[in-house]
Amino acid sequence: MTESTRITRGIQRSPSIIDRKRRTAIDVRAFLAMIAIGMAASFGLGVMLDIDEILSSYGSGFSRRIVTDTESGGVEVHQKRRLPTTHIHDLGSVHGEEAEGEKDHDLYEHHVNYENPSYENLGGEEVDVAEPAATNTSAGGNVEVEEEHNPSGHHLIVDMKHLDADFLNSEERLAAAIVGTVAAAGLTLLSYHCHALHPAGVSCVGVLLESHISFHTWPEEGVITLDLFTCGSALLLPVLPTIERLFGVPRTKTVVKDGITTIEEEEVFTQWSHELRGFRPPHVRKNNYLDDASDLYASVMTSLTEQKKMILSTKSPYQNIDIWELVDPQESVPTYHDGLKHNLSDDSPGWTDWRLFTPPRNLFIDGMYQTSDILDNEFHETIVHPSMFAHTNPTRVAIIGGGDGSTLREVLKHNTIESVTLVEVDKMMVDIAKEYLPKLSDCSNLIGRSPSCFDDDKVEIIYEDARKWFIGNYGDDATGKPAFDVIILDALDPQDNKSRMSALLFMDNTFLSSLYNSLTDNGVIAAKIGVAPNVLDPRADLGLQVRRETFMRLIENHPSTDAMLVYEENHCNLGEPGAMLVFCKNAKCRRQWYAEADEVDYQIYKRIVGTVNGEPALSHYDGSTQKFYQHPSKPWETVYCRRQPMPFECAYRGLDKTKVIHDFIVNNEEESSFSLQTVENEETGEKYTAVFATTDIPEGSYIMADDVAASFIISDDSVANLKKNVEVSGGKGTAQVIEDFLEFMEKNGHSSSAKGIGKNLVEMGGSHYIRRTSDASEANVGRWMPTHPSGKEPAYSPVYERYRLSFDVFLVATKDINEGEELIRPENLWS
């Protein structure tokens, strides 16, 4: 909309130029001087006389006639006479009813943390500005006072629609809303200016001692856009309800239903964002949990389009706790359960109506996202069940943290559980979860469990610092006996670089030792470790993952660690894949970890409790999900191999493209690099089938890659079952086929190099004809992946976990093999 450029009492016609002969000559300079004098006199007269009063004296029906620069042909635009503007000095009491004939000037008496402010003369008394007593928030001094003088501030942006047009067109009512907002915020208003626009709308700006408040209105559209900026450390979120109350005057609409006409108020629609502006020293940023590095900032504060409702914002003795409901009108659509709730038909337009979407409640601890009461299943099933099923029979479980109850709920789904010990330092977090996030600890649908998981008789809650509790009970000098089969770390994660508590948990070898001391011999520990890496990440000890890398190296180097397994889940509602870690006191956990999907599904059937409504207790985790977790993603390998010095196994990530593969091709002597020949042993006279090279084979070439890649894989459990079948059939000679297979496997099979995995690989192709020798110097064929130089594989290596099968089967020429030479391999090749 454009501002009027002039106000006229009528439309002036251009002077006639019909009869030039009648015109009288006049001096141009005198003519211009007369015009200038006339314009000055008109302007002065207009200032002294209120033109609105002059116009209104002709009657209430008289309105201004406005001609704008953008209107062609001098078209008149009639505008309703505006309400007069009242100066801030004349607005009256802010805090209550004023005495007759008096004005309440408390407005000018709000104190701020600035020395000697300069006030515009608003007609009030001079006021003193008080400096509050310093509050030492740390050993470093007064952080809040320090932030007052930083080049930084807080910026609140608010957009509202469906507002009353008369309110949005009234400078006086809008100015009163400014005054009320400033007072509620504890700020100091120095001056304000409102400017009426034509044909409608108002722009206002209020100058604050702390900075400014400003807005613009569109009455016909029922819209106002407002922003409030202040310097210093005080948050502006507390003033948001006041803004919504004072500026959120709803417009009305006429509704005709069943022949009855009613006037209804429209629901005011508000969207807002809160930004930390300017530049803060690193230590001030670190101590501000709304800093732009926090999830609360990114997910809640900065989004202007989302509908946001604060359920709770408080501070316990240990942490900031925030709970928010978030709905994005552009992306949020009803879920399957919302459809059932609202009885939506297949052709209902409600499936794209964001107002039918049930907003989840999102929990933030110290600004970092933790979980959601609707979207938490995938996340907590991912944390809990891989580790629980990595143990064959978990009966006693400890949870560190987990005050929201989600992890506890998932643990109680296992029917093997005899006791769960929840060690949570913050009782207030548990109480808040019970009141505001009851879905997270809801066990009412689990058969045999209490309605609230916290109240189950198998659960003991210990409100103590977990680090102190474990060290005190299971430290090197403690007398506590191993008590737990599984421990789940559900407190902070090692990516939380702002938290001192995170450093104590994840960078303390004494604490780690106490955890291992509390475990049974086959114990398993699980931890969430932030978001998964990507291939662009620097070396882990250089970037943002220093704390996680320190934690993982502590575990790797701990003598009680026998296996470490990382995995990730894409459905954790984190925006990026969530990263998890399982580490075991005994590498036999690999047997369960690498189980086939059908085995895991069978264990789920046996172990997971039933439900009251008959639906599966697990909504995400199953055998196929576990198969996905079994092999770390490529970025884990990439970042791991950026370590210095580079780990030994990183040189064997994939077959070498510069080396030739020599295969045995049956019935194709021209293409085959090998031939089978019957050879007689000179010493024994025994005949056997041997493999000979039909071409020169350079050292390092791959031997029969196709054949060894087709090796048969069989578990120790399957081998044991086959042997039992022979016994059940009546002993040796009663199940000849099975016996022959077992004999063949014994001769041509070998165990996987992965400790504890319990799998065997049986060569089925031409490679099993290669002669074996006890003289290593005679051999010319060996393993592609040599034995680790230390003689022991590292407890943690994404490379070994990702390339295990290749390391277990591929063969290479260990020296040049000439045409016609027999292939020979060491007798203990795979041992």
Side-chain angles (χ1 to χ4, degrees):
M1 54 189 72
T2 58
E3 183 185 354
S4 173
T5 55
R6 66 179 183 273
I7 301 176
T8 65
R9 295 184 180 275
I11 302 298
Q12 290 286 336
R13 293 189 305 155
S14 299
S16 172
I17 22 182
I18 298 175
D19 189 359
R20 296 177 181 272
K21 293 181 180 181
R22 288 196 225 174
R23 292 187 305 172
T24 303
I26 185 170
D27 190 298
V28 174
R29 290 171 295 180
F31 175 72
L32 293 175
M34 292 174 61
I35 291 177
I37 294 171
M39 292 177 64
S42 299
F43 179 80
L45 183 63
V47 171
M48 290 184 293
L49 302 177
D50 188 341
I51 192 168
D52 281 342
E53 293 184 4
I54 296 174
L55 291 174
S56 62
S57 68
Y58 287 89
S60 60
F62 194 94
S63 60
R64 297 183 186 183
R65 291 181 292 176
I66 310 300
V67 181
T68 67
D69 289 341
T70 59
E71 294 169 331
S72 61
V75 179
E76 295 180 327
V77 178
H78 296 267
Q79 179 180 346
K80 184 177 178 180
R81 183 174 177 270
R82 291 185 174 279
L83 295 174
T85 299
T86 302
H87 194 273
I88 183 173
H89 181 65
D90 302 317
L91 286 176
S93 174
V94 175
H95 305 294
E97 296 296 329
E98 61 189 6
E100 184 177 355
E102 296 182 359
K103 298 293 182 181
D104 181 351
H105 296 301
D106 286 350
L107 171 65
Y108 310 115
E109 297 176 0
H110 291 292
H111 301 308
V112 293
N113 299 333
Y114 284 84
E115 295 181 354
N116 303 321
S118 175
Y119 284 88
E120 179 181 336
N121 183 9
L122 300 177
E125 300 291 334
E126 291 187 1
V127 296
D128 295 327
V129 178
E131 181 85 19
T135 302
N136 288 323
T137 58
S138 68
N142 189 342
V143 175
E144 290 190 1
V145 171
E146 179 184 359
E147 188 165 355
E148 297 288 353
H149 300 283
N150 288 325
S152 60
H154 295 254
H155 193 180
L156 179 64
I157 301 172
V158 183
D159 297 342
M160 305 172 73
K161 67 178 180 178
H162 303 159
L163 304 184
D164 179 67
D166 288 339
F167 169 73
L168 296 179
N169 222 25
S170 169
E171 300 164 42
E172 181 176 358
R173 295 171 69 185
L174 291 167
I178 289 180
V179 173
T181 298
V182 171
L187 304 172
T188 303
L189 184 62
L190 302 180
S191 66
Y192 89 97
H193 176 70
C194 287
H195 187 65
L197 301 178
H198 299 294
V202 177
S203 286
C204 288
V205 60
V207 179
L208 308 177
L209 183 61
E210 298 81 3
S211 189
H212 74 271
I213 181 173
S214 63
F215 61 79
H216 183 79
T217 71
W218 288 264
E220 291 186 5
E221 291 81 2
V223 171
I224 185 172
T225 59
L226 178 149
D227 79 285
L228 173 61
F229 180 84
T230 61
C231 302
S233 61
L235 288 176
L236 295 179
L237 286 180
V239 80
L240 182 60
T242 300
I243 293 175
E244 293 180 299
R245 176 173 56 83
L246 295 180
F247 287 90
V249 180
R251 68 186 179 189
T252 59
K253 61 181 178 180
T254 302
V255 178
V256 179
K257 185 176 182 181
D258 298 329
I260 300 175
T261 301
T262 58
I263 305 298
E264 297 180 359
E265 289 185 349
E266 289 193 56
E267 182 180 359
V268 175
F269 184 93
T270 303
Q271 57 187 27
W272 61 269
S273 71
H274 182 283
E275 302 276 353
L276 297 183
R277 298 288 302 279
F279 303 92
R280 290 170 168 77
H283 70 281
V284 175
R285 289 189 58 191
K286 186 175 182 179
N287 291 330
N288 194 324
Y289 83 110
L290 286 181
D291 181 73
D292 56 10
S294 77
D295 296 329
L296 184 58
Y297 171 89
S299 301
V300 179
M301 298 302 154
T302 63
S303 173
L304 190 59
T305 60
E306 283 190 303
Q307 292 293 289
K308 296 169 280 194
K309 180 181 179 181
M310 184 174 69
I311 305 302
L312 177 74
S313 182
T314 188
K315 187 170 184 177
S316 77
Y318 302 96
Q319 54 202 354
N320 296 286
I321 303 172
D322 291 88
I323 302 174
W324 288 81
E325 288 183 355
L326 306 174
V327 178
D328 189 339
Q330 300 178 11
E331 296 186 4
S332 298
V333 294
T335 64
Y336 169 77
H337 293 97
D338 289 333
L340 296 178
K341 175 182 176 182
H342 297 287
N343 197 29
L344 297 182
S345 60
D346 291 349
D347 58 351
S348 172
W351 288 111
T352 57
D353 188 345
W354 64 270
R355 291 168 296 186
L356 301 182
F357 172 73
T358 301
R361 289 189 171 184
N362 300 280
L363 172 64
F364 299 86
I365 300 295
D366 286 337
M368 306 308 292
Y369 174 79
Q370 301 299 310
T371 188
S372 157
D373 68 344
I374 294 179
L375 304 174
D376 78 299
N377 284 355
E378 292 94 334
F379 184 41
H380 287 93
E381 288 186 18
T382 299
I383 296 173
V384 173
H385 299 299
S387 60
M388 292 292 286
F389 282 103
H391 195 286
T392 56
N393 186 40
T395 59
R396 293 166 294 178
V397 175
I399 301 172
I400 296 175
D404 56 69
S406 302
T407 297
L408 176 61
R409 181 196 67 225
E410 295 303 318
V411 169
L412 288 174
K413 291 179 181 180
H414 290 254
N415 59 22
T416 58
I417 292 300
E418 296 176 1
S419 67
V420 183
T421 302
L422 178 67
V423 187
E424 168 61 62
V425 69
D426 195 350
K427 184 178 185 300
M428 187 173 174
M429 179 67 250
V430 175
D431 294 337
I432 287 173
K434 290 179 179 179
E435 181 177 355
Y436 294 96
L437 300 166
K439 293 180 182 178
L440 297 180
S441 57
D442 183 7
C443 282
S444 61
N445 194 40
L446 302 179
I447 296 176
R449 302 300 187 217
S450 298
S452 171
C453 305
F454 290 118
D455 299 331
D456 197 89
D457 57 7
K458 297 183 183 297
V459 176
E460 178 187 10
I461 303 179
I462 299 173
Y463 293 111
E464 290 188 33
D465 182 313
R467 176 178 175 273
K468 293 181 180 178
W469 188 83
F470 271 92
I471 292 176
N473 287 280
Y474 300 102
D476 291 338
D477 298 329
T479 58
K481 297 180 180 180
F484 304 115
D485 299 312
V486 176
I487 298 174
I488 301 173
L489 281 163
D490 187 27
L492 304 169
D493 64 59
Q495 281 189 314
D496 188 3
N497 294 322
K498 292 186 176 183
S499 171
R500 178 176 176 270
M501 191 178 298
S502 173
L504 292 175
L505 286 178
F506 296 105
M507 303 179 74
D508 184 355
N509 199 53
T510 302
F511 173 59
L512 179 61
S513 293
S514 69
L515 294 182
Y516 271 125
N517 292 341
S518 73
L519 282 179
T520 54
D521 291 342
N522 295 319
V524 176
I525 302 176
K528 57 180 183 179
I529 52 175
V531 298
N534 67 65
V535 294
L536 300 179
D537 286 351
R539 206 172 76 212
D541 61 341
L542 298 179
L544 296 176
Q545 308 301 335
V546 173
R547 188 169 290 179
R548 178 166 74 186
E549 179 73 357
T550 302
F551 176 54
M552 295 185 70
R553 295 237 184 180
L554 280 178
I555 300 170
E556 288 176 58
N557 297 325
H558 198 282
S560 295
T561 303
D562 213 19
M564 282 179 67
L565 305 156
V566 291
Y567 63 105
E568 60 191 62
E569 174 55 62
N570 299 321
H571 301 89
C572 290
N573 199 32
L574 299 176
E576 299 179 74
M580 317 292 168
L581 172 66
V582 166
F583 46 108
C584 309
K585 200 170 182 179
N586 191 316
K588 289 181 179 179
C589 69
R590 276 201 177 99
R591 169 66 190 87
Q592 285 69 241
W593 185 262
Y594 285 102
E596 295 300 322
D598 59 329
E599 295 179 76
V600 177
D601 287 335
Y602 177 59
Q603 291 300 319
I604 290 173
Y605 168 78
K606 285 175 52 180
R607 191 189 295 183
I608 298 299
V609 301
T611 60
V612 175
N613 63 10
E615 295 182 358
L618 303 183
S619 63
H620 180 69
Y621 181 81
D622 60 10
S624 296
T625 305
Q626 180 60 36
K627 288 292 288 185
F628 171 74
Y629 296 158
Q630 289 175 356
H631 301 286
S633 65
K634 187 71 172 181
W636 287 103
E637 167 202 317
T638 302
V639 174
Y640 172 80
C641 288
R642 288 181 176 142
R643 288 182 173 184
Q644 293 296 327
M646 186 178 74
F648 163 78
E649 65 272 21
C650 291
Y652 295 88
R653 293 180 289 163
L655 299 180
D656 188 346
K657 294 286 289 184
T658 65
K659 305 298 183 181
V660 177
I661 295 178
H662 290 269
D663 275 323
F664 173 59
I665 304 175
V666 180
N667 299 325
N668 190 336
E669 295 181 0
E670 293 183 1
E671 296 292 333
S672 179
S673 296
F674 309 101
S675 64
L676 298 180
Q677 300 178 24
T678 301
V679 178
E680 182 176 332
N681 188 311
E682 296 180 355
E683 296 181 0
T684 64
E686 182 182 355
K687 294 182 179 180
Y688 64 93
T689 302
V691 180
F692 289 84
T694 60
T695 185
D696 291 338
I697 301 175
E699 180 181 354
S701 300
Y702 298 106
I703 304 298
M704 298 188 187
D706 279 353
D707 283 5
V708 296
S711 296
F712 180 79
I713 302 174
I714 185 171
S715 68
D716 288 345
D717 291 340
S718 295
V719 173
N721 285 335
L722 289 173
K723 291 179 178 179
K724 287 181 180 179
N725 286 334
V726 173
E727 294 176 7
V728 170
S729 299
K732 189 173 182 180
T734 59
Q736 196 61 49
V737 174
I738 297 178
E739 292 178 50
D740 290 345
F741 174 75
L742 289 172
E743 183 182 351
F744 180 85
M745 188 188 68
E746 185 72 25
K747 181 179 179 181
N748 300 291
H750 62 272
S751 298
S752 171
S753 58
K755 184 180 180 181
I757 197 170
K759 291 187 177 181
N760 303 278
L761 299 101
V762 184
E763 297 175 43
M764 305 295 292
S767 61
H768 80 272
Y769 290 111
I770 298 176
R771 179 161 65 89
R772 294 160 174 79
T773 180
S774 58
D775 183 0
S777 63
E778 184 184 9
N780 53 19
V781 174
R783 294 167 52 179
W784 167 51
M785 177 61 175
T787 301
H788 195 278
S790 68
K792 179 184 177 182
E793 291 183 6
Y796 168 68
S797 172
V799 177
Y800 276 109
E801 303 301 337
R802 284 175 54 83
Y803 297 93
R804 178 68 62 188
L805 185 57
S806 297
F807 294 167
D808 280 344
V809 297
F810 284 122
L811 304 172
V812 295
T814 56
K815 58 181 70 172
D816 291 340
I817 302 175
N818 298 321
E819 180 180 353
E821 187 176 345
E822 183 183 6
L823 274 64
I824 305 171
R825 64 182 183 182
E827 197 168 55
N828 60 349
L829 177 65
W830 300 108
S831 60

